[in-house]
Amino acid sequence: MTNTTESSGIPDEKIIIHAAKTLDCSAHGTFVEACQCARQNHIQVMVVDLNATQNIRASGLGILLKLSKKMEYSPFKIQIENCQPDVKVLLSENRLFSGFSIS
């Protein structure tokens, strides 16, 4: 996998975003596209796969927070999966992501 953030989705199921080694502002476009795809295809679950992610910059946290706020009043579910231990601690310490399921 290249060092970029990618998304893939299956209509009526879920959309998965595979984040890069470093999650930062370069991922913004991918998250916007994933949200648009989810709305157009009535996808109810978005999975952010952080398996390859070793570092989240402040701009990456901002993207996740914006996603959380954008989807706050919808039936949409956001799951963050495959977190490395350091990334999971970072997300937990920020306490900004109460709308996310983090594993």
Side-chain angles (χ1 to χ4, degrees):
M1 180 172 147
T2 61
N3 192 24
T4 59
T5 300
E6 307 170 349
S7 67
S8 61
I10 301 170
D12 299 320
E13 290 187 18
K14 63 184 173 182
I15 191 163
I16 301 172
I17 298 174
H18 298 279
K21 184 176 180 181
T22 298
L23 182 58
D24 59 17
C25 63
S26 65
H28 182 262
T30 301
F31 277 82
V32 170
E33 288 175 16
C35 288
Q36 289 172 347
C37 178
R39 284 191 185 120
Q40 290 171 352
N41 293 298
H42 306 289
I43 297 171
Q44 298 297 311
V45 178
M46 180 181 293
V47 175
V48 181
D49 185 344
L50 297 181
N51 187 49
T53 305
Q54 297 175 358
N55 183 29
I56 299 180
R57 295 194 175 137
S59 59
L61 288 173
I63 289 169
L64 291 174
L65 182 59
K66 187 175 180 179
L67 177 64
S68 172
K69 294 298 180 189
K70 192 173 214 174
M71 299 303 178
E72 191 172 39
Y73 301 107
S74 72
F76 200 77
K77 294 180 185 171
I78 303 166
Q79 299 171 346
I80 297 179
E81 296 182 352
N82 302 317
C83 290
Q84 301 297 326
D86 292 344
V87 170
K88 193 171 188 174
V89 167
L90 176 66
L91 293 174
S92 297
E93 286 176 350
N94 276 288
R95 297 182 188 166
L96 300 173
F97 309 105
S98 60
F100 291 172
S101 168
I102 301 173
S103 64

